[in-house]
Amino acid sequence: MHFYPLSVFVVGLWYSIWSQPKTRFPHFDETLRDLSIGDINFLQTTDTHGWYLGHINQRQYSADWGDFISFVDRFREQCHEQDSDLLLVDCGDRHDGNGLSDLTSPNGVYSSEVFMELDFDVITVGNHELYVKEVSELEYNTVVPRYGEKFISTNVEYLNDNGEYVPFGNSTYRYFTTDVKKYNVFALSFLFDFTGGNERIRVTPIAEIVKQKQFLELLEEFSNKPVDLVAVVGHLPVSHDWLETEVLHQVLRRYFPNIVIQYFGGHSHIRDFTILDNKSFALQSGRYCETVGFLSLSQLDQDNIDLDRKYIDFNLQSFLHHTNYSTVDGFNTKHGLQVSQRLTDISNELNLSETFGVAPHSYFLAGADYNSNDPNSLLRFFENHILTQLEPKICHENMDPVVSSQNNSRMVLINTGSIRYDLYKGDFNRNSQFIVSPFKNKWKVLQNVPADVAVQIQPILNRGPYIMSANSANQLDTSQLLSPYQRAVNSQMNANRLRYGQTTVDDLGNDGDDTIHKPLPKFQVPNVIRSYEYVDKLQPVDIVFYDFIERHVLWALQQACGDDRLLYHSLVQQLTFYNDCELEFNVGELLKKYALKNWQ
Ligand SMILES: *[C@@H]1O[C@H](CO)[C@@H](O)[C@H](O)[C@H]1NC(C)=O
Ligand SMILES: *[C@@H]1O[C@H](CO)[C@@H](O)[C@H](O)[C@H]1NC(C)=O
Ligand SMILES: *[C@@H]1O[C@H](CO)[C@@H](O)[C@H](O)[C@H]1NC(C)=O
Ligand SMILES: *[C@@H]1O[C@H](CO)[C@@H](O)[C@H](O)[C@H]1NC(C)=O
Ligand SMILES: *[C@@H]1O[C@H](CO)[C@@H](O)[C@H](O)[C@H]1NC(C)=O
Ligand SMILES: [Zn+2]
Ligand SMILES: [Zn+2]
């Protein structure tokens, strides 16, 4: 094990820093806002998507799950010293997101093991635990028993081996008493109206369950018991325009008219806090181990609840600051260090840090403007350098590779949903490859498309609705919608000393982020991108695309052909595979080929 001693002078303190191999340190000179501890305190994680190794090339989110475990222990000590409670909640989506989770079969074998090193008080499922049957089985058979009565789901059911539907969790609710203040907490958990589950999964939409006798009887029962706090730990966004929360809240308020109802949400991968009424609030804590959500509530039995919410950046400076430690070795716990070591071992076993090159600068998905050809645009980089590396090749089908007329132009088209994350400057390794694009699709081709028809396909698709990627962590891409606030941010990227980072505006204002940053620019992400290789723009075009978007491309082709139905049908008749070698030629592999060639 290598140690990298290093000292940084910060606001009058010397931090001596030690850590695990490969862990990058944050900037230790950021300005932080303090948390105020209340009578009852919460730490929330959501949509971690397996990012327990931390963000290797992003210093702001460079802590790993072991560091987080140390943080939770230290923070709990601090709360208990102040005679306060601390509860930990996780709102689901622990699978699908990077190599640690996705390189095992089923995915999540190792990442779940690491995740389960941490105790939670309430934990539930997200949609990413429900797509693939083997993933649901792993979750139900290992994670549910690990957490026992703390794992709940009120509206998701699992078809067990006896052919019965049972709650996807230990129960539909948890009723418990806190350690310090002895508050009685009644916890429920809901998933949004999700229809993409495998055959073992049944989801009852919130709009339906609030009418079911059994559920109403449960609320009736607990409205007659001592309850100091209702906690709803769900996998759905907390924003005001997400109607399911409002539907649920009206019903809960009928049964608990005067009790604090605290929601925790997720799924849309943002930081957010909303106020539902005088005694009801909702917190959502981002994604990918970039954020730990903090909430404190005081005077639960009064009309004026005292509260604080903070979005803690997932790094050692934040973790040390909020637990009042000045050195990393003082802060680390034995358990935290063990988990970090386990992460290193797993990373070695999966060859996650096997390097393919060094990215010379960062490329951004939404953080750089595709439309103005920004050289930092990840999408332009894919169009100009990655998609062009595709070659025709047949591995499975009983056919020869497509040999097009030598003079044909070629377009290679993908949906941007098949790219998951930014590509950061520095080491580009097996894990980064999975982070940017893990999808294994085949390529189809429409041959000899007249150029004037071919050039219309991308604009038609980009005017249409956003194409979601199956199993993509980008299930709900809010980058499609730019708020007036974000437009203002983009238009005045003023330079001052602050660094770029998350700047959240929520129902309590703009002081929620623990680290003071200047806002990241954020631009509209198109639906599809394409390379266009040609000698002469008048030549017919072979349009090559990921088979995942076939339906969409054919729809766009039909629009582009207009009245010429004959043309449309003759083109579709020749639709065939261009490259069906999904392991060797998926987008992530094309990126790896480029790195091996150009980034050594
Ligand atoms: C619920 O959790 C308790 C405590 O861990 C356990 O004894 C019980 O078997 C669990 N029940 C189910 C249905 O998982
Ligand atoms: C709470 O809300 C109600 C109306 O919803 C309002 O009448 C009341 O003044 C508010 N404040 C308190 C402290 O109850
Ligand atoms: C942090 O530690 C310093 C020095 O030990 C102490 O004076 C201060 O009160 C502590 N702050 C908190 C929030 O515990
Ligand atoms: C990791 O690399 C080693 C040595 O190159 C190889 O033997 C092993 O099979 C690889 N493991 C995985 C999971 O790719
Ligand atoms: C390709 O283009 C060249 C020049 O435009 C022309 O002479 C040649 O015949 C074309 N070949 C084919 C196969 O169409
Ligand atoms: Zn998610
Ligand atoms: Zn989700």
Side-chain angles (χ1 to χ4, degrees), residues 252-413:
L252 293 180
R253 261 286 167 258
R254 279 213 312 269
Y255 289 86
F256 302 94
N258 208 19
I259 288 169
V260 174
I261 304 178
Q262 175 61 47
Y263 295 84
F264 296 92
H267 185 61
S268 53
H269 292 186
I270 59 168
R271 297 177 171 187
D272 202 4
F273 182 85
T274 51
I275 300 176
L276 283 85
D277 64 36
N278 288 352
K279 296 189 85 166
S280 182
F281 319 99
L283 177 69
Q284 185 178 334
S285 305
R287 60 168 187 179
Y288 302 162
C289 295
E290 293 169 352
T291 306
V292 181
F294 166 79
L295 176 81
S296 67
L297 299 171
S298 296
Q299 316 183 73
L300 294 185
D301 54 349
Q302 307 288 304
D303 279 337
N304 288 318
I305 306 292
D306 231 4
L307 66 87
D308 185 28
R309 58 81 184 86
K310 285 282 177 303
Y311 311 102
I312 300 171
D313 276 359
F314 214 98
N315 67 54
L316 280 169
Q317 189 203 8
S318 286
F319 291 176
L320 264 65
H321 181 90
H322 299 305
T323 51
N324 212 10
Y325 277 86
S326 57
T327 65
V328 173
D329 33 354
F331 161 84
N332 279 330
T333 63
K334 197 166 151 229
H335 186 204
L337 286 173
Q338 279 167 354
V339 172
S340 296
Q341 182 57 50
R342 177 72 186 129
L343 278 162
T344 305
D345 294 345
I346 294 171
S347 169
N348 289 339
E349 193 177 329
L350 295 175
N351 294 339
L352 288 182
S353 51
E354 182 188 347
T355 184
F356 304 136
V358 178
H361 64 85
S362 298
Y363 296 90
F364 301 101
L365 196 53
D369 191 2
Y370 170 81
N371 289 316
S372 71
N373 281 311
D374 187 326
N376 298 320
S377 163
L378 181 65
L379 299 176
R380 288 295 178 196
F381 172 63
F382 266 76
E383 287 187 342
N384 298 331
H385 300 287
I386 304 304
L387 298 178
T388 49
Q389 297 189 111
L390 184 63
E391 295 156 21
K393 185 172 175 186
I394 294 299
C395 292
H396 314 290
E397 296 292 321
N398 184 16
M399 61 176 270
D400 293 325
V402 170
V403 185
S404 74
S405 157
Q406 277 173 4
N407 285 358
N408 269 13
S409 308
R410 183 177 74 158
M411 280 182 189
V412 180
L413 196 86

Side-chain angles (χ1 to χ4, degrees), residues 127 198 282 295 362 391 440 488 499 507 527 552 563 586 598:
N127 49 307
N198 64 70
L295 176 81
S362 298
E391 295 156 21
K440 296 180 184 71
R499 295 193 182 85
D507 279 7
N527 214 346
H552 302 269
D563 291 338
N586 64 64
N598 299 284

Side-chain angles (χ1 to χ4, degrees), residues 296-586:
S296 67
L297 299 171
S298 296
Q299 316 183 73
L300 294 185
D301 54 349
Q302 307 288 304
D303 279 337
N304 288 318
I305 306 292
D306 231 4
L307 66 87
D308 185 28
R309 58 81 184 86
K310 285 282 177 303
Y311 311 102
I312 300 171
D313 276 359
F314 214 98
N315 67 54
L316 280 169
Q317 189 203 8
S318 286
F319 291 176
L320 264 65
H321 181 90
H322 299 305
T323 51
N324 212 10
Y325 277 86
S326 57
T327 65
V328 173
D329 33 354
F331 161 84
N332 279 330
T333 63
K334 197 166 151 229
H335 186 204
L337 286 173
Q338 279 167 354
V339 172
S340 296
Q341 182 57 50
R342 177 72 186 129
L343 278 162
T344 305
D345 294 345
I346 294 171
S347 169
N348 289 339
E349 193 177 329
L350 295 175
N351 294 339
L352 288 182
S353 51
E354 182 188 347
T355 184
F356 304 136
V358 178
H361 64 85
S362 298
Y363 296 90
F364 301 101
L365 196 53
D369 191 2
Y370 170 81
N371 289 316
S372 71
N373 281 311
D374 187 326
N376 298 320
S377 163
L378 181 65
L379 299 176
R380 288 295 178 196
F381 172 63
F382 266 76
E383 287 187 342
N384 298 331
H385 300 287
I386 304 304
L387 298 178
T388 49
Q389 297 189 111
L390 184 63
E391 295 156 21
K393 185 172 175 186
I394 294 299
C395 292
H396 314 290
E397 296 292 321
N398 184 16
M399 61 176 270
D400 293 325
V402 170
V403 185
S404 74
S405 157
Q406 277 173 4
N407 285 358
N408 269 13
S409 308
R410 183 177 74 158
M411 280 182 189
V412 180
L413 196 86
I414 58 169
N415 59 314
T416 56
S418 62
I419 304 176
R420 279 201 297 208
Y421 201 66
D422 298 332
L423 198 170
Y424 286 89
K425 178 179 171 169
D427 195 32
F428 178 79
N429 57 30
R430 187 181 297 279
N431 203 27
S432 335
Q433 180 193 339
F434 263 77
I435 287 166
V436 176
S437 189
F439 306 105
K440 296 180 184 71
N441 292 290
K442 298 174 181 178
W443 301 92
K444 292 255 178 116
V445 62
L446 286 162
Q447 301 171 73
N448 289 308
V449 181
D452 59 329
V453 171
V455 294
Q456 295 178 54
I457 302 294
Q458 184 196 24
I460 290 171
L461 286 170
N462 282 345
R463 284 194 299 268
Y466 193 69
I467 302 170
M468 301 291 185
S469 271
N471 284 0
S472 163
N474 306 330
Q475 277 302 308
L476 197 125
D477 192 310
T478 51
S479 59
Q480 289 294 297
L481 316 158
L482 289 193
S483 65
Y485 170 76
Q486 190 63 49
R487 281 197 218 101
V489 164
N490 291 351
S491 69
Q492 40 158 307
M493 283 182 257
N494 56 330
N496 59 37
R497 279 181 44 245
L498 294 178
R499 295 193 182 85
Y500 288 115
Q502 302 209 33
T503 51
T504 310
V505 180
D506 62 22
D507 279 7
L508 286 180
N510 59 4
D511 59 355
D513 305 287
D514 80 325
T515 312
I516 301 177
H517 280 141
K518 62 178 170 181
L520 286 163
K522 190 172 177 192
F523 298 92
Q524 201 120 23
V525 173
N527 214 346
V528 295
I529 57 171
R530 61 152 164 79
S531 60
Y532 188 12
E533 298 151 87
Y534 55 86
V535 178
D536 177 340
K537 274 199 165 178
L538 295 174
Q539 291 298 322
V541 184
D542 293 336
I543 303 180
V544 181
F545 52 90
Y546 247 8
D547 58 358
F548 179 76
I549 56 170
E550 176 173 328
R551 193 165 54 84
H552 302 269
V553 171
L554 294 186
W555 170 80
L557 178 70
Q558 194 169 24
Q559 305 276 307
C561 289
D563 291 338
D564 197 343
R565 307 261 290 273
L566 214 58
L567 174 64
Y568 171 74
H569 287 291
S570 71
L571 291 172
V572 172
Q573 238 156 37
Q574 292 178 61
L575 177 67
T576 184
F577 280 103
Y578 183 76
N579 180 322
D580 68 347
C581 310
E582 73 280 12
L583 296 178
E584 190 187 343
F585 280 96
N586 64 64

Side-chain angles (χ1 to χ4, degrees), residues 36-90:
S36 9
I37 288 178
D39 291 337
I40 184 164
N41 304 277
F42 297 87
L43 293 176
Q44 180 197 13
T45 51
T46 188
D47 296 271
T48 55
H49 289 282
W51 282 76
Y52 310 127
L53 278 163
H55 293 237
I56 309 294
N57 293 342
Q58 279 178 287
R59 301 176 69 171
Q60 200 59 34
Y61 313 119
S62 51
D64 68 20
W65 200 247
D67 299 324
F68 181 52
I69 284 174
S70 298
F71 174 65
V72 170
D73 283 347
R74 298 305 187 196
F75 197 66
R76 181 174 286 115
E77 285 164 12
Q78 203 176 351
C79 289
H80 286 187
E81 266 167 36
Q82 301 188 27
D83 201 25
S84 305
D85 277 301
L86 176 66
L87 298 181
L88 220 67
V89 300
D90 183 80

